[in-house]
Amino acid sequence: MPFKNFIPPRRLLLGPGPSMVHPRVLHALSTPLLGHLDPAFLALMDDIQALLRFVFQTKNHFTIAVSGTGSAGMEASIVNIVEPGDAVIIGVNGLFGTRLATIVERCGGKAILVEAPWGQIIEPDAIEAALRRSGPIKAVAIVHAETSTGAWQPLEPIANLCRNHDTLFIVDAVTSLGGAPVEIDRWGIDVCYSATQKCLSCPPGLSPFTLSDRAMAAIRARRTPCQSWYLDMALIADYWAPLIRHSSLTNHGEFGFDSLHVLHQDCKHFLAPLIEELLLHLVEDDGWISRFIPLNFISPSEPIIGPTLLRIANDLVGCIQFTDFRFGLSAIGIAVRMVLKNQLPVGLLDRVVGRVSRNPQHPVKVGSCHGRRL
């Protein structure tokens, strides 16, 4: 049976991930393969470890890229630390905090939830109260930038609490790494994982991962085997193979993180007024809204729940569409993916194009509006 070669259409990716990939990274994808024990490849791995330590702002010896998506990094962080019976405090203010709790329970651990309304941060006082009343705690796990809502969580106060209570601190930096400061050593984070397809602007499939000496000691002192053979960090050691990672990390090292953080903030400020014109309103920015998820925490001007939310989600796909752009939405903490095609007023579309893309390689085709409204 004959098959046609797949040629992906060009898209300007503006959602919560995947993000646009630098041509330098795309070129790395086309280079010849090397064997995993080739001396040139092993030297490359050493370079990548050094670059990852720079990205994470850490001197941790165990700093690698896990072969898998950010979800693999999340699972690796829990299955290596948590044993049956261990208590873990989980900050839950969105979808991914909930997922952390699920993995803890699947490992036989006890998930102690410290909850906040979706879109708000977890208060350090609430974590401290849970530490005081819950007895021995193996770890505290929290999401730095909750993709589903845009909440940007302060970490340093909670890290200090973990140190005071001799508790490991696990951080999900899937969305934040490369888009905002993530300072592993200065803040005292023990386990941190991220993903390549967000602010690091790589294709998906790798999860930057780092462990402190305290975390490695806890893994070596386990009473039971790690629940996952594939993600067992005691076995993985230095064996990993992220060639494409090198080019993107080199970009970050050359441009400097301060410049890249400012760039993400500028993008948010450019696009926010345009989104307001779509009859959607950004969640009020109380200082803890992500600068690097500019379109992922949008809510309608009026509260919506249940069937109304589903109807609006359905309408969004059919009503707000134009070719070659990809955005992401959250409404009451539920992420709604949109495929935007042929439905924005021409004037607004021109302003979006003018601010977002000057690149002739991303042509935008404007269609007629069919008069449908949210």
mmCIF file of all heavy atoms in Angstrom, residues 43-71:
data_model
loop_
_atom_site.group_PDB
_atom_site.id
_atom_site.type_symbol
_atom_site.label_atom_id
_atom_site.label_comp_id
_atom_site.label_asym_id
_atom_site.label_seq_id
_atom_site.Cartn_x
_atom_site.Cartn_y
_atom_site.Cartn_z
ATOM 1 N N ALA A 43 31.421 12.860 24.785
ATOM 2 C CA ALA A 43 31.888 14.230 25.027
ATOM 3 C C ALA A 43 30.730 15.215 24.928
ATOM 4 O O ALA A 43 30.640 16.167 25.712
ATOM 5 C CB ALA A 43 32.983 14.583 24.020
ATOM 6 N N LEU A 44 29.835 14.979 23.967
ATOM 7 C CA LEU A 44 28.661 15.828 23.833
ATOM 8 C C LEU A 44 27.790 15.756 25.083
ATOM 9 O O LEU A 44 27.266 16.770 25.562
ATOM 10 C CB LEU A 44 27.853 15.395 22.605
ATOM 11 C CG LEU A 44 26.525 16.129 22.382
ATOM 12 C CD1 LEU A 44 26.771 17.589 22.042
ATOM 13 C CD2 LEU A 44 25.726 15.442 21.282
ATOM 14 N N MET A 45 27.634 14.568 25.642
ATOM 15 C CA MET A 45 26.837 14.413 26.860
ATOM 16 C C MET A 45 27.418 15.240 27.999
ATOM 17 O O MET A 45 26.678 15.863 28.776
ATOM 18 C CB MET A 45 26.761 12.942 27.249
ATOM 19 C CG MET A 45 25.934 12.103 26.286
ATOM 20 S SD MET A 45 26.065 10.322 26.612
ATOM 21 C CE MET A 45 25.370 10.209 28.248
ATOM 22 N N ASP A 46 28.752 15.261 28.110
ATOM 23 C CA ASP A 46 29.384 16.088 29.143
ATOM 24 C C ASP A 46 29.046 17.560 28.936
ATOM 25 O O ASP A 46 28.765 18.292 29.894
ATOM 26 C CB ASP A 46 30.899 15.890 29.121
ATOM 27 C CG ASP A 46 31.325 14.511 29.598
ATOM 28 O OD1 ASP A 46 30.511 13.856 30.292
ATOM 29 O OD2 ASP A 46 32.447 14.091 29.268
ATOM 30 N N ASP A 47 29.075 18.008 27.676
ATOM 31 C CA ASP A 47 28.734 19.400 27.378
ATOM 32 C C ASP A 47 27.297 19.709 27.769
ATOM 33 O O ASP A 47 26.996 20.769 28.338
ATOM 34 C CB ASP A 47 28.915 19.690 25.880
ATOM 35 C CG ASP A 47 30.376 19.738 25.459
ATOM 36 O OD1 ASP A 47 31.244 19.809 26.357
ATOM 37 O OD2 ASP A 47 30.647 19.695 24.245
ATOM 38 N N ILE A 48 26.399 18.783 27.463
ATOM 39 C CA ILE A 48 24.986 19.016 27.749
ATOM 40 C C ILE A 48 24.739 19.069 29.247
ATOM 41 O O ILE A 48 23.945 19.886 29.731
ATOM 42 C CB ILE A 48 24.122 17.939 27.073
ATOM 43 C CG1 ILE A 48 24.206 18.109 25.555
ATOM 44 C CG2 ILE A 48 22.680 18.018 27.526
ATOM 45 C CD1 ILE A 48 23.590 16.982 24.778
ATOM 46 N N GLN A 49 25.425 18.221 30.007
ATOM 47 C CA GLN A 49 25.283 18.298 31.460
ATOM 48 C C GLN A 49 25.710 19.666 31.975
ATOM 49 O O GLN A 49 25.042 20.252 32.836
ATOM 50 C CB GLN A 49 26.109 17.204 32.127
ATOM 51 C CG GLN A 49 25.440 15.843 32.110
ATOM 52 C CD GLN A 49 26.112 14.899 33.080
ATOM 53 O OE1 GLN A 49 27.296 14.576 32.933
ATOM 54 N NE2 GLN A 49 25.371 14.449 34.070
ATOM 55 N N ALA A 50 26.817 20.179 31.448
ATOM 56 C CA ALA A 50 27.281 21.497 31.877
ATOM 57 C C ALA A 50 26.249 22.574 31.516
ATOM 58 O O ALA A 50 25.974 23.488 32.319
ATOM 59 C CB ALA A 50 28.629 21.810 31.229
ATOM 60 N N LEU A 51 25.662 22.477 30.320
ATOM 61 C CA LEU A 51 24.659 23.460 29.906
ATOM 62 C C LEU A 51 23.396 23.351 30.750
ATOM 63 O O LEU A 51 22.793 24.366 31.129
ATOM 64 C CB LEU A 51 24.326 23.262 28.429
ATOM 65 C CG LEU A 51 25.414 23.702 27.443
ATOM 66 C CD1 LEU A 51 25.158 23.125 26.061
ATOM 67 C CD2 LEU A 51 25.495 25.226 27.380
ATOM 68 N N LEU A 52 22.985 22.131 31.086
ATOM 69 C CA LEU A 52 21.810 21.967 31.935
ATOM 70 C C LEU A 52 22.051 22.530 33.334
ATOM 71 O O LEU A 52 21.149 23.103 33.949
ATOM 72 C CB LEU A 52 21.422 20.490 32.018
ATOM 73 C CG LEU A 52 20.673 19.920 30.818
ATOM 74 C CD1 LEU A 52 20.509 18.403 30.962
ATOM 75 C CD2 LEU A 52 19.311 20.579 30.673
ATOM 76 N N ARG A 53 23.260 22.358 33.840
ATOM 77 C CA ARG A 53 23.566 22.957 35.155
ATOM 78 C C ARG A 53 23.452 24.477 35.081
ATOM 79 O O ARG A 53 22.992 25.121 36.036
ATOM 80 C CB ARG A 53 24.963 22.539 35.607
ATOM 81 C CG ARG A 53 25.057 21.063 35.958
ATOM 82 C CD ARG A 53 26.413 20.699 36.562
ATOM 83 N NE ARG A 53 26.505 19.253 36.748
ATOM 84 C CZ ARG A 53 27.232 18.438 36.002
ATOM 85 N NH1 ARG A 53 27.968 18.942 35.005
ATOM 86 N NH2 ARG A 53 27.240 17.142 36.224
ATOM 87 N N PHE A 54 23.871 25.049 33.953
ATOM 88 C CA PHE A 54 23.717 26.495 33.779
ATOM 89 C C PHE A 54 22.241 26.891 33.747
ATOM 90 O O PHE A 54 21.818 27.848 34.399
ATOM 91 C CB PHE A 54 24.412 26.935 32.491
ATOM 92 C CG PHE A 54 24.081 28.345 32.077
ATOM 93 C CD1 PHE A 54 24.601 29.426 32.763
ATOM 94 C CD2 PHE A 54 23.227 28.579 31.012
ATOM 95 C CE1 PHE A 54 24.282 30.727 32.390
ATOM 96 C CE2 PHE A 54 22.911 29.865 30.620
ATOM 97 C CZ PHE A 54 23.444 30.947 31.319
ATOM 98 N N VAL A 55 21.443 26.138 32.995
ATOM 99 C CA VAL A 55 20.018 26.441 32.895
ATOM 100 C C VAL A 55 19.351 26.353 34.260
ATOM 101 O O VAL A 55 18.532 27.213 34.630
ATOM 102 C CB VAL A 55 19.337 25.473 31.899
ATOM 103 C CG1 VAL A 55 17.819 25.621 31.941
ATOM 104 C CG2 VAL A 55 19.838 25.718 30.487
ATOM 105 N N PHE A 56 19.683 25.328 35.021
ATOM 106 C CA PHE A 56 19.089 25.122 36.341
ATOM 107 C C PHE A 56 19.753 25.975 37.424
ATOM 108 O O PHE A 56 19.290 25.979 38.570
ATOM 109 C CB PHE A 56 19.211 23.658 36.765
ATOM 110 C CG PHE A 56 18.125 22.749 36.255
ATOM 111 C CD1 PHE A 56 18.439 21.638 35.482
ATOM 112 C CD2 PHE A 56 16.797 22.985 36.559
ATOM 113 C CE1 PHE A 56 17.446 20.776 35.023
ATOM 114 C CE2 PHE A 56 15.795 22.125 36.110
ATOM 115 C CZ PHE A 56 16.122 21.028 35.337
ATOM 116 N N GLN A 57 20.862 26.644 37.092
ATOM 117 C CA GLN A 57 21.621 27.392 38.093
ATOM 118 C C GLN A 57 21.986 26.493 39.279
ATOM 119 O O GLN A 57 21.645 26.773 40.439
ATOM 120 C CB GLN A 57 20.834 28.618 38.550
ATOM 121 C CG GLN A 57 20.639 29.676 37.462
ATOM 122 C CD GLN A 57 21.962 30.360 37.077
ATOM 123 O OE1 GLN A 57 22.448 31.233 37.792
ATOM 124 N NE2 GLN A 57 22.531 29.950 35.953
ATOM 125 N N THR A 58 22.695 25.409 38.965
ATOM 126 C CA THR A 58 23.036 24.443 40.001
ATOM 127 C C THR A 58 24.407 23.841 39.733
ATOM 128 O O THR A 58 24.908 23.855 38.601
ATOM 129 C CB THR A 58 22.000 23.303 40.048
ATOM 130 O OG1 THR A 58 22.298 22.421 41.132
ATOM 131 C CG2 THR A 58 21.999 22.486 38.754
ATOM 132 N N LYS A 59 25.005 23.305 40.786
ATOM 133 C CA LYS A 59 26.222 22.518 40.677
ATOM 134 C C LYS A 59 25.937 21.035 40.903
ATOM 135 O O LYS A 59 26.870 20.237 41.041
ATOM 136 C CB LYS A 59 27.256 23.009 41.697
ATOM 137 C CG LYS A 59 27.734 24.444 41.443
ATOM 138 C CD LYS A 59 28.756 24.884 42.483
ATOM 139 C CE LYS A 59 29.224 26.316 42.217
ATOM 140 N NZ LYS A 59 30.192 26.783 43.258
ATOM 141 N N ASN A 60 24.658 20.666 40.943
ATOM 142 C CA ASN A 60 24.302 19.263 41.170
ATOM 143 C C ASN A 60 25.006 18.347 40.174
ATOM 144 O O ASN A 60 24.907 18.541 38.961
ATOM 145 C CB ASN A 60 22.791 19.057 41.023
ATOM 146 C CG ASN A 60 22.005 19.616 42.201
ATOM 147 O OD1 ASN A 60 22.572 19.937 43.241
ATOM 148 N ND2 ASN A 60 20.695 19.731 42.020
ATOM 149 N N HIS A 61 25.682 17.318 40.711
ATOM 150 C CA HIS A 61 26.345 16.361 39.827
ATOM 151 C C HIS A 61 25.323 15.612 38.986
ATOM 152 O O HIS A 61 25.513 15.430 37.773
ATOM 153 C CB HIS A 61 27.165 15.363 40.642
ATOM 154 C CG HIS A 61 27.798 14.289 39.802
ATOM 155 N ND1 HIS A 61 28.861 14.524 38.961
ATOM 156 C CD2 HIS A 61 27.479 12.972 39.661
ATOM 157 C CE1 HIS A 61 29.190 13.401 38.342
ATOM 158 N NE2 HIS A 61 28.366 12.448 38.744
ATOM 159 N N PHE A 62 24.231 15.188 39.610
ATOM 160 C CA PHE A 62 23.213 14.437 38.880
ATOM 161 C C PHE A 62 22.253 15.423 38.215
ATOM 162 O O PHE A 62 21.246 15.833 38.777
ATOM 163 C CB PHE A 62 22.439 13.488 39.792
ATOM 164 C CG PHE A 62 21.648 12.458 39.016
ATOM 165 C CD1 PHE A 62 22.181 11.209 38.778
ATOM 166 C CD2 PHE A 62 20.395 12.757 38.511
ATOM 167 C CE1 PHE A 62 21.472 10.254 38.051
ATOM 168 C CE2 PHE A 62 19.682 11.824 37.784
ATOM 169 C CZ PHE A 62 20.213 10.561 37.554
ATOM 170 N N THR A 63 22.594 15.833 37.014
ATOM 171 C CA THR A 63 21.787 16.743 36.205
ATOM 172 C C THR A 63 21.798 16.190 34.790
ATOM 173 O O THR A 63 22.829 16.198 34.119
ATOM 174 C CB THR A 63 22.359 18.171 36.241
ATOM 175 O OG1 THR A 63 22.411 18.626 37.599
ATOM 176 C CG2 THR A 63 21.494 19.124 35.431
ATOM 177 N N ILE A 64 20.649 15.690 34.352
ATOM 178 C CA ILE A 64 20.571 14.989 33.068
ATOM 179 C C ILE A 64 19.300 15.418 32.340
ATOM 180 O O ILE A 64 18.522 16.236 32.836
ATOM 181 C CB ILE A 64 20.561 13.456 33.257
ATOM 182 C CG1 ILE A 64 19.271 13.004 33.943
ATOM 183 C CG2 ILE A 64 21.788 13.004 34.040
ATOM 184 C CD1 ILE A 64 19.072 11.502 33.949
ATOM 185 N N ALA A 65 19.086 14.833 31.162
ATOM 186 C CA ALA A 65 17.807 14.936 30.471
ATOM 187 C C ALA A 65 17.196 13.546 30.419
ATOM 188 O O ALA A 65 17.770 12.626 29.829
ATOM 189 C CB ALA A 65 17.979 15.502 29.066
ATOM 190 N N VAL A 66 16.058 13.376 31.066
ATOM 191 C CA VAL A 66 15.356 12.095 31.054
ATOM 192 C C VAL A 66 14.775 11.871 29.659
ATOM 193 O O VAL A 66 14.231 12.790 29.045
ATOM 194 C CB VAL A 66 14.236 12.090 32.112
ATOM 195 C CG1 VAL A 66 13.377 10.835 31.989
ATOM 196 C CG2 VAL A 66 14.828 12.193 33.512
ATOM 197 N N SER A 67 14.893 10.653 29.160
ATOM 198 C CA SER A 67 14.329 10.315 27.853
ATOM 199 C C SER A 67 12.822 10.132 27.999
ATOM 200 O O SER A 67 12.333 9.050 28.300
ATOM 201 C CB SER A 67 14.969 9.043 27.307
ATOM 202 O OG SER A 67 16.346 9.231 27.104
ATOM 203 N N GLY A 68 12.098 11.211 27.797
ATOM 204 C CA GLY A 68 10.650 11.208 27.939
ATOM 205 C C GLY A 68 10.166 12.646 28.074
ATOM 206 O O GLY A 68 10.962 13.578 28.208
ATOM 207 N N THR A 69 8.881 12.845 28.039
ATOM 208 C CA THR A 69 8.311 14.187 28.146
ATOM 209 C C THR A 69 8.370 14.697 29.580
ATOM 210 O O THR A 69 8.877 14.021 30.473
ATOM 211 C CB THR A 69 6.850 14.167 27.670
ATOM 212 O OG1 THR A 69 6.102 13.319 28.562
ATOM 213 C CG2 THR A 69 6.742 13.649 26.249
ATOM 214 N N GLY A 70 7.818 15.884 29.799
ATOM 215 C CA GLY A 70 7.762 16.428 31.146
ATOM 216 C C GLY A 70 7.018 15.529 32.111
ATOM 217 O O GLY A 70 7.332 15.476 33.304
ATOM 218 N N SER A 71 6.038 14.790 31.607
ATOM 219 C CA SER A 71 5.320 13.843 32.470
ATOM 220 C C SER A 71 6.248 12.732 32.957
ATOM 221 O O SER A 71 6.098 12.234 34.083
ATOM 222 C CB SER A 71 4.131 13.240 31.714
ATOM 223 O OG SER A 71 3.164 14.225 31.422
#
